[in-house]
């Protein structure tokens, strides 16, 4: 029985996946590599450090450890420039209604995000005070696909993992939730997220009667 809901942020709540892509694409150009849509799909849910490692491998290049750190900061600065422009209009379809419904049903809500910018983004879109718990990349040792992010979120809302439903748009996040023994609703297509229990295009398509 589902008693708690855990939501990913980028690509589930707001349209920030495209900002991450834009900023990584800009950085990858410095390495002479043109980031593809398939790369973008693979990078969803992946931590900042692991994303840069992935891109360097694709570009067949390496960086000194100092330059690696500098480039992480450059990417994040470009990303934050895009985030500065955000407001509630950047919420994906049906998100506001989803929150209203979940809160009216008294279902505990947690965030389980791989981003270190989660609090800022939630503040920008006006949802920061809607969560019972927020777990982001600052709070965990092991990023997705490791289940730690979601297990910690479940622990904070005091719901057993098997009674939690996770909403995720990334393959690594779906894997993390499956490893945590949670029920996973994919945001996207079953083709991109084959391990999800089922997929819907956005939170607006979720039917609370199925809980
Ligand atoms: C995830 C995104 O939510 O967070 C990834 O899907 C991103 O694309 C990752 O790289 C880390 O985000 P940040 O904000 O800490 O650089
Ligand atoms: Mg995501």
């Amino acid at each position: 029985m589902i008693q708690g809901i855990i939501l990913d942020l980028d690509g589930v709540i707001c349209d920030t996946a495209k900002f991450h892509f834009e900023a990584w694409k800009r950085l990858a150009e410095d390495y002479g590599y043109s980031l593809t849509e398939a790369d973008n799909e693979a990078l969803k849910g992946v931590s900042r450090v692991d994303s840069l490692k992935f891109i360097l491998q694709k570009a067949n290049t390496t960086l000194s450890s100092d330059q690696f750190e500098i480039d992480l900061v450059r990417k994040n600065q470009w990303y934050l420039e895009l985030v500065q422009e955000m407001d509630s209009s950047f919420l994906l379809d049906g998100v506001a209604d989803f929150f209203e419904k979940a809160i009216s049903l008294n279902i505990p809500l947690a965030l389980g995000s791989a981003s270190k910018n989660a609090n800022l983004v939630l503040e920008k879109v006006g949802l920061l005070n809607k969560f019972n718990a927020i777990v982001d990349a600052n709070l965990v040792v092991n990023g997705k696909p490791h289940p730690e992010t979601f297990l910690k979120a479940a622990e904070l809302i005091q719901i057993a993992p098997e009674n939690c439903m996770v909403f995720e748009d990334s393959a690594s996040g779906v894997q993390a939730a499956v490893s945590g023994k949670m029920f996973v609703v994919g945001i996207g297509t079953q083709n991109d997220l084959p391990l999800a229990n089922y997929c819907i295009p956005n939170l607006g398509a979720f039917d609370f009667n199925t809980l």
Side-chain angles (χ1 to χ4, degrees), residues 31-207:
Y31 313 137
Y33 181 69
S34 182
L35 211 63
T36 66
E37 286 295 335
D39 294 335
N40 184 36
E41 209 47 53
L43 285 173
K44 285 180 182 171
V46 176
S47 72
R48 201 180 303 170
V49 166
D50 287 344
S51 296
L52 182 51
K53 286 182 185 164
F54 173 97
I55 290 167
L56 291 170
Q57 206 171 17
K58 286 278 175 182
N60 204 11
T61 190
T62 54
L63 298 175
S64 68
S65 57
D66 282 355
Q67 192 61 45
F68 189 95
E69 292 303 320
I70 290 168
D71 284 2
L72 285 179
V73 172
R74 290 170 69 217
K75 184 268 170 179
N76 197 48
Q77 280 169 345
W78 292 327
Y79 175 69
L80 290 178
E81 279 170 21
L82 297 166
V83 166
Q84 282 315 318
E85 306 302 319
M86 287 179 77
D87 58 24
S88 60
S89 68
F90 284 76
L91 290 175
L92 288 165
D93 284 351
V95 173
D97 287 347
F98 180 97
F99 272 75
E100 207 172 293
K101 184 78 182 161
I103 290 167
S104 75
L105 292 171
N106 281 322
I107 302 171
L109 290 170
L111 186 85
S113 170
S115 172
K116 291 188 170 175
N117 295 303
N119 277 270
L120 172 69
V121 171
L122 286 176
E123 199 224 310
K124 284 289 201 186
V125 296
L127 289 181
L128 189 55
N129 60 1
K130 303 283 185 199
F131 287 93
N132 301 93
I134 292 179
V135 178
D136 67 11
N138 300 297
L139 292 184
V140 298
V141 177
N142 306 291
K144 301 169 186 177
H146 191 284
E148 186 181 352
T149 303
F150 294 136
L151 292 176
K152 182 141 192 94
E155 187 188 320
L156 290 177
I157 54 172
Q158 298 180 309
I159 306 284
E162 54 273 25
N163 295 329
C164 289
M165 182 178 269
V166 172
F167 291 84
E168 249 296 347
D169 71 317
S170 72
S172 69
V174 169
Q175 175 66 63
V178 168
S179 300
K181 309 234 179 316
M182 297 167 177
F183 190 93
V184 200
V185 179
I187 300 295
T189 65
Q190 205 76 41
N191 196 33
D192 285 332
L193 306 170
L195 297 181
N197 290 89
Y198 68 89
C199 288
I200 52 176
N202 52 57
L203 289 182
F206 181 66
D207 180 0

